[in-house]
Amino acid sequence: MVGRWIVIGCLLLSAAPAKAWDNFGHMEAAVSTLELPKEFKALVVLAGGAVVLAAILTVCRADAGIGYVIPAFFISGFLADAFTGLAHFCFDYVFPESIPIFGPIAREFREHHEYPTLDPSNYIENLTKGAYASLPTTALTVWAAYELPVGAVSFVVVATLLGMSLWALLFHQIHSYAHMGSILPPEELHARVVEIRRLESHSEKVREFAKLFEAVPIPPVVRFLQRYRLILNPSTHNLHHVLFESDFSSVNGWSDPVLNFVLRPIARRRKAAMEMETRAKS
Ligand SMILES: [Zn+2]
Ligand SMILES: [Zn+2]
């Protein structure tokens, strides 16, 4: 019963338009533009608490063996990564900036190409973005933990949903560690990107980005996770910032080889069409 109310609460909060949230006195700027608030501490706390609750419920169902969390970890990592990649592609090339809620997010994604200033010290802003993505998935996890029959397969399903909720909560914080905006200013990154763009091979590009980020003081634990590709590696992610046609994912890059195959040709066509539109308007 409690779980159902949590599911309903999470869904309402994550689905409510910014205009409605203004009634709570938090987001004056959101009213006129139907833009989600950039920072929403209470939502971050709620999303974090919901993930903890979902984790407790998931562990309570581990009758089939806690070892099943291992496949769930990898499946959830791949699916969450693919989801961020597809969403990023849509915000770069599909959603018009004029539509409510998604439009301002699309504008932010396109501005991120010009000014890649993301910084991990902006915890609340980074985790607020994560909370929007995480809450619906956490609600689904809680529902699945209550409703699915007990068994190995359903445990993997629940644990996978839980993993996706956690990856979703952290995705923008992870993305910001691949930029370190306050230490690596956009002008410096752009200058290196221009040089790296001229390199012939993919491996040379990756190597040069790796060299650039070796000199940046990334916390050792994060550096370890990046190096072993457990979270997004700056060298991989910044390949996206060369031409904005590939490497769209923001969690760990596991889905990039598949998504690049599908999305790169579409991104090229969309980019050319959008450039023609801009030229025609000016
Ligand atoms: Zn992009
Ligand atoms: Zn980026």
Side-chain angles (χ1 to χ4, degrees):
M1 188 65 188
V2 177
R4 284 206 182 95
W5 280 111
I6 290 166
V7 172
I8 292 165
C10 290
L11 283 172
L12 283 174
L13 264 167
S14 57
K19 199 166 187 172
W21 290 352
D22 187 58
N23 294 334
F24 296 98
H26 284 292
M27 55 259 348
E28 307 84 277
V31 177
S32 56
T33 55
L34 274 176
E35 184 174 346
L36 293 173
K38 289 194 177 15
E39 295 193 11
F40 195 167
K41 214 175 198 173
L43 197 76
V44 172
V45 173
L46 178 72
V51 169
V52 171
L53 174 81
I56 294 167
L57 293 175
T58 305
V59 170
C60 289
R61 293 179 51 108
D63 302 353
I66 199 76
Y68 284 101
V69 295
I70 296 167
F73 171 80
F74 287 105
I75 298 167
S76 69
F78 182 85
L79 292 177
D81 193 61
F83 186 81
T84 59
L86 284 170
H88 181 171
F89 170 81
C90 291
F91 286 120
D92 277 2
Y93 292 115
V94 178
F95 298 131
E97 292 181 17
S98 53
I99 61 172
I101 299 182
F102 283 6
I105 300 173
R107 190 175 60 239
E108 231 176 85
F109 268 82
R110 291 159 201 176
E111 282 170 0
H112 173 61
H113 292 172
E114 302 294 321
Y115 307 101
T117 54
L118 292 184
D119 196 80
S121 60
N122 298 331
Y123 293 108
I124 298 301
E125 191 176 332
N126 293 335
L127 292 173
T128 297
K129 287 184 170 64
Y132 293 133
S134 175
L135 274 164
T137 323
T138 312
L140 194 59
T141 311
V142 173
W143 173 84
Y146 271 98
E147 300 295 335
L148 293 186
V150 174
V153 174
S154 59
F155 176 69
V156 172
V157 171
V158 175
T160 298
L161 287 170
L162 172 68
M164 289 178 72
S165 309
L166 189 60
W167 289 115
L169 183 60
L170 299 177
F171 90 94
H172 212 258
Q173 184 67 24
I174 292 172
H175 182 191
S176 71
Y177 277 119
H179 283 287
M180 301 294 290
S182 65
I183 292 162
L184 188 64
E187 306 75 39
E188 202 181 320
L189 180 64
H190 280 316
R192 293 294 289 130
V193 164
V194 169
E195 288 168 20
I196 290 168
R197 192 180 290 161
R198 293 197 197 105
L199 296 170
E200 283 293 313
S201 79
H202 179 269
S203 58
E204 272 181 290
K205 287 176 182 155
V206 171
R207 209 166 35 243
E208 287 307 308
F209 274 126
K211 266 193 223 163
L212 175 65
F213 279 89
E214 276 308 316
V216 174
I218 297 170
V221 175
V222 175
R223 173 92 70 191
F224 175 86
L225 295 172
Q226 288 176 339
R227 188 160 288 153
Y228 290 96
R229 303 289 198 269
L230 290 171
I231 61 171
L232 196 63
N233 185 290
S235 315
T236 313
H237 175 65
N238 281 287
L239 289 172
H240 176 72
H241 287 264
V242 174
L243 290 171
F244 318 112
E245 294 172 352
S246 65
D247 305 281
F248 288 92
S249 73
S250 301
V251 167
N252 47 42
W254 299 347
S255 68
D256 278 334
V258 179
L259 290 189
N260 286 348
F261 181 73
V262 179
L263 297 181
R264 197 192 317 251
I266 309 171
R268 270 185 195 152
R269 276 202 300 276
R270 286 291 304 142
K271 200 168 86 172
M274 285 163 89
E275 280 166 5
M276 268 173 63
E277 266 171 45
T278 312
R279 270 201 298 275
K281 275 183 203 158
S282 59

